[in-house]
Amino acid sequence: MFYGTELQNRLFLGTAQYPSPQILSEAIAVAGSEVITVSLRREGREGAGFRDILKDAGCRILPNTAGCHSVREAVTTAQMARELFGTAWIKLEVIGHADTLQPDPFALVEAARILCAEGFEVFPYTTEDLILGEKLLEAGCEVLMPWGAPIGSGQGLRNIEGLRSMRAHFPGVPLVIDAGIGAPSQAAQAMEMGFDAVLLNTAVAKALDPVAMARAFSGAVAAGQEAHRAGLMPRRDMAAASTPVFGMAELA
Amino acid sequence: MRNTDNRLVSVLGAGVAGLCTATALADRGIAAELIAPAEAPQPASHFAGGMLAPFCEGEAAPDEVVTAGQKSVDWWAAHVPVARRGTLVVAPPRDAAELGRFARATRGHVPADPGALEPDLEGRFARGLFYETEAHLDPREALAQLRAGLAARGVPIHDGPPSGRIIDCRGLGADLSGLRAVRGEMLIVEAPDVALSRPVRLLHPRFPCYIVPRAGQRFMIGATMVERDDAGPVTARAAMELLSAAYALHPGFAEARILELGAGRRPAFPDNLPRLVRQGDRLHVNGMYRHGFLMAPVLAEAAADQIAHDLQEDIHAH
């Protein structure tokens, strides 16, 4: 449950960098995504033409504060998002470094505290740091969105053990892998590890065929989710033959 | 009811779509007038790069643009000076993977040594892509020449009411559903230390830019794409991004003089494809998006064909 909302499809899509709004709409439809994230910092109130097309996609909109570098910028952008989209949901991004686009953990917690107190339902873009995760929950967040790798890097899950620890540390908290996913196999891996959803943009938007890539990711996310539910077999150091060897006929 | 002269065509709008359409009509000997309101804002084409780059545009644009756009080089060359020098595409060493992606996403290119094509880039970029059949022009010069060409052929250009059948080329000023504005920001600099003879595109995952050489050591640096209906002044962020990209391409841009910072609104349909739209007895040429100079000649010829056909039908009907 994401702030009380049950979602079947666990692929959240970003909406930037697509060749056209129409291809974006087709990608969303083909993926069956129920949540799309939309930036506002640069587009502002004057971005209504594009937003209207997104509203027609029929998804739940998760506005984001991408491009914000300070608490104040992020809070102001979130307030504008609530007004423009009529939703309390906000994907909170406070960027610490323009080059790595790594979240600024201190500003993130402060902004989360302010926004939660104002009644926002905050989806914070965070790292796999456990203490930071705890502080965000303490601030009032009910979802955490750890990065897989830096935004747009396509590196996949860069710190798998750290992410595994995070999953184990926050058993009841919806965790969404946000950013850094480049291939469907990486998205499937995240879901197999028990993450609740995957949010990505560049890997689909900048694919040579974004619609086909959206379909591929959707299948991978569903497969990973199903595999986790079904219970993956444990890794073993030795072969374990699937048919018994004992009692085989000796024909020599 | 306004008085309509059925043999006259009134082209509304004097941006690249309107001027090409009026020119295509005049080329066929169809009587036309161009309605150019004096107080109209600068058209988006005023801020264009003037690249005739169908193959490079194919990175994001559908094949219609690549295929149709190829015809426009000859069209322009028949009307205004065009430089057929191709396009060079490079990427900073750190983003070399972008070059591979761009190569896979486009056709019409060969691998190139950037320094061999543009000596100023010698030693700065090891690999590049060369799109030999592409071309460029100076957009403001080209628009002025089309306008002068129309005037010379006696096509009236005025801001009074239209009196013929209408081809509406007013971009965002047209009353057409589905159109939105995509903001673009650009700069024009004078850089005495830089010598480039063809458009150069610098690939970057976040701040791609292109640089188009113009006469007198001037260069157009463009262009942002922001989903925003706003022609207000260029933002500091856009200027910083474009200038730092230009500087990454050639350090000589550090000493360039900034002559102009410009922002315009590109009219675009949801699929970002320019097209003709028939609305009652009005024909629209619109949604040029970032393909104005590339696609206006193609749509102008198609519009002129339709009008010629309509005129023929009218003659038979009477």
Side-chain angles (χ1 to χ4, degrees):
Chain A
M1 294 282 265
F2 301 82
Y3 289 101
T5 298
E6 192 54 65
L7 299 169
Q8 297 305 312
N9 186 297
R10 299 301 178 86
L11 175 60
F12 300 1
L13 281 177
T15 55
Q17 304 183 66
Y18 279 82
S20 69
Q22 181 169 316
I23 290 176
L24 164 61
S25 302
E26 287 169 24
I28 294 167
V30 151
S33 290
E34 293 170 51
V35 177
I36 54 176
T37 181
V38 184
S39 68
L40 278 172
R41 177 78 188 121
R42 202 162 186 178
E43 294 74 11
R45 293 176 190 282
E46 294 82 359
F50 182 65
R51 282 198 296 272
D52 287 347
I53 298 175
L54 294 180
K55 286 177 186 164
D56 287 346
C59 293
R60 187 171 270 277
I61 290 182
L62 173 60
N64 67 56
T65 64
C68 293
H69 287 253
S70 70
V71 173
R72 207 176 114 197
E73 267 184 300
V75 169
T76 311
T77 304
Q79 287 162 342
M80 182 170 72
R82 177 156 67 181
E83 183 194 323
L84 291 176
F85 287 108
T87 175
W89 280 20
I90 188 79
K91 168 167 136 68
L92 180 62
E93 260 185 67
V94 189
I95 298 303
H97 197 289
D99 203 37
T100 60
L101 301 180
Q102 181 163 348
D104 173 345
F106 307 98
L108 183 66
V109 173
E110 196 186 331
R113 196 167 284 138
I114 294 168
L115 291 172
C116 290
E118 289 185 13
F120 281 93
E121 295 174 340
V122 178
F123 293 63
Y125 164 60
T126 179
T127 68
E128 66 276 29
D129 189 280
L130 302 181
I131 310 303
L132 174 54
E134 284 177 355
K135 299 275 182 204
L136 287 167
L137 296 181
E138 206 176 78
C141 298
E142 295 177 20
V143 174
L144 297 176
M145 304 219 291
W147 63 351
I151 296 173
S153 70
Q155 294 176 6
L157 307 181
R158 203 154 74 156
N159 180 2
I160 288 182
E161 295 311 323
L163 288 168
R164 227 185 275 285
S165 302
M166 187 175 196
R167 179 66 283 179
H169 194 75
F170 299 108
V173 179
L175 298 181
V176 182
I177 294 289
D178 177 10
I181 298 290
S185 54
Q186 299 159 353
Q189 184 185 24
M191 297 304 290
E192 286 168 6
M193 286 165 64
F195 285 91
D196 297 279
V198 168
L199 192 161
L200 55 90
N201 182 48
T202 312
V204 170
K206 300 293 268 183
L208 299 191
D209 183 344
V211 177
M213 191 59 86
R215 188 184 296 118
F217 267 104
S218 182
V221 166
Q225 184 185 13
E226 176 123 37
H228 179 72
R229 208 183 295 136
L232 288 153
M233 65 168 281
R235 279 172 69 108
R236 296 194 180 97
D237 291 338
M238 296 293 286
S242 50
T243 47
V245 181
F246 186 74
M248 276 176 74
E250 283 190 42
L251 301 174
Chain B
M1 198 58 198
R2 70 193 173 88
N3 291 322
T4 305
D5 175 351
N6 261 326
R7 282 160 309 166
L8 178 72
V9 182
S10 303
V11 177
L12 312 188
V16 68
L19 286 166
C20 286
T21 300
T23 301
L25 294 169
D27 286 352
R28 283 168 174 71
I30 297 170
E33 60 173 355
L34 184 69
I35 312 295
E39 77 287 0
Q42 288 287 8
S45 40
H46 182 73
F47 303 101
M51 292 183 294
L52 304 174
F55 295 106
C56 285
E57 289 300 312
E59 186 243 338
D63 203 57
E64 288 98 306
V65 170
V66 183
T67 306
Q70 289 175 57
K71 299 174 201 153
S72 70
V73 180
D74 287 335
W75 192 95
W76 281 111
H79 294 91
V80 304
V82 168
R84 296 175 187 257
R85 308 248 333 136
T87 304
L88 175 63
V89 177
V90 296
R94 209 174 79 163
D95 302 309
E98 297 293 318
L99 207 57
R101 181 191 172 274
F102 201 85
R104 286 195 301 281
T106 57
R107 54 197 168 88
H109 54 78
V110 291
D113 170 8
L117 285 168
E118 295 291 349
D120 260 33
L121 302 181
E122 173 83 54
R124 297 192 56 76
F125 298 93
R127 294 190 305 129
L129 298 170
F130 184 41
Y131 296 76
E132 199 175 354
T133 59
E134 296 187 341
H136 70 282
L137 49 72
D138 181 329
R140 293 176 191 176
E141 202 54 43
L143 297 181
Q145 289 203 19
L146 288 189
R147 202 173 170 129
L150 290 169
R153 283 190 275 182
V155 174
I157 301 175
H158 63 89
D159 63 355
S163 46
R165 62 178 81 205
I166 286 176
I167 305 183
D168 191 335
C169 305
R170 290 178 300 163
L172 292 161
D175 181 19
L176 198 54
S177 70
L179 272 185
R180 72 184 199 287
V182 181
R183 175 177 165 88
E185 292 148 291
M186 52 78 84
L187 296 95
I188 295 178
V189 301
E190 186 178 328
D193 300 339
V194 179
L196 296 172
S197 68
R198 54 174 62 79
V200 180
R201 293 185 184 224
L202 180 72
L203 304 181
H204 187 282
R206 275 174 290 147
F207 316 125
C209 98
Y210 54 78
I211 294 176
V212 189
R214 300 218 174 134
Q217 290 300 121
R218 292 177 181 199
F219 298 87
M220 182 273 190
I221 306 173
T224 60
M225 306 265 286
V226 187
E227 290 286 352
R228 185 176 173 123
D229 185 4
D230 172 11
V234 174
T235 63
R237 174 209 288 252
M240 284 191 295
E241 287 175 1
L242 291 170
L243 285 171
S244 58
Y247 178 68
L249 182 79
H250 195 309
F253 281 115
E255 299 306 322
R257 307 285 178 166
I258 299 173
L259 301 181
E260 182 182 331
L261 291 153
R265 298 144 73 226
R266 307 175 181 95
F269 289 113
D271 58 4
N272 291 345
L273 261 181
R275 62 170 64 101
L276 302 185
V277 178
R278 174 79 76 174
Q279 192 184 52
D281 54 2
R282 179 177 293 229
L283 189 60
H284 290 270
V285 179
N286 214 321
M288 305 314 290
Y289 184 51
R290 51 180 280 160
H291 307 307
F293 279 83
L294 191 58
M295 293 296 285
V298 178
L299 294 188
E301 291 296 331
D305 282 346
Q306 279 206 22
I307 292 292
H309 179 257
D310 292 353
L311 290 171
Q312 205 62 38
E313 295 237 305
D314 286 357
I315 290 166
H316 290 309
H318 287 97

